[in-house]
Amino acid sequence: MKKSDILPTLGIIADRIKTFRKLRGLTQEQLADKSALSLNYVGVLEICGKTPSLDALLRIAKALDVPISDLLSTDRKSSMVNQMSSLMDTLEETDVEFLMNELADWARYLEAVRKHSS
């Protein structure tokens, strides 16, 4: 397998690390501390500059409190659901209710647009 064949997957992993880090409100430095990795290494991983070791992925997943599968999944839809679920876990119940109502409003709006354009 050529390096160019795995770059898209590395990009997905890099994006997931960065997304989950930001969802947790962590800086790269804080993630590095929590995962016992160097700040430089975390930064390089987030820009897809290096292939992460399994040990590093396990440490990062633990530091971010996510299953390693959430970092490795190439299924975009399940990843989005997992990210939304992780975000919801950090919110107060009133915020979750607000978001659920907003999403329901958007769903109704998009359905009306879809029907109108058909």
Side-chain angles (χ1 to χ4, degrees), residues 13-21 31 46 60 64 71:
I13 294 170
D15 288 344
R16 299 246 169 84
I17 292 170
K18 186 174 187 176
T19 298
F20 280 114
R21 176 181 61 77
L31 177 58
E46 285 192 5
I60 290 169
L64 295 172
L71 298 179

Side-chain angles (χ1 to χ4, degrees), residues 18 21 26-33 38-39 42-44 46-47:
K18 186 174 187 176
R21 176 181 61 77
L26 298 173
T27 64
Q28 286 183 343
E29 184 174 12
Q30 290 168 323
L31 177 58
D33 287 343
S38 75
L39 172 59
V42 169
V44 168
E46 285 192 5
I47 61 167

Side-chain angles (χ1 to χ4, degrees), residues 79-103:
S79 174
M80 289 172 57
V81 169
N82 289 338
Q83 289 176 27
M84 288 174 57
S85 177
S86 293
L87 175 61
M88 300 284 256
D89 289 344
T90 67
L91 299 174
E92 299 291 327
E93 188 159 336
T94 55
D95 295 327
V96 171
E97 289 174 22
F98 171 79
L99 282 175
M100 296 302 286
N101 288 332
E102 288 295 310
L103 287 171

Side-chain angles (χ1 to χ4, degrees), residues 4 10 38 53 60-61 77 102:
S4 61
L10 290 178
S38 75
S53 68
I60 290 169
K77 186 176 179 181
E102 288 295 310

Side-chain angles (χ1 to χ4, degrees), residues 48-74:
C48 195
K50 189 168 186 136
T51 303
S53 68
L54 179 58
D55 179 62
L57 287 172
L58 288 167
R59 290 176 186 215
I60 290 169
K62 183 176 180 180
L64 295 172
D65 193 30
V66 297
I68 194 169
S69 59
D70 285 4
L71 298 179
L72 298 174
S73 172
T74 57

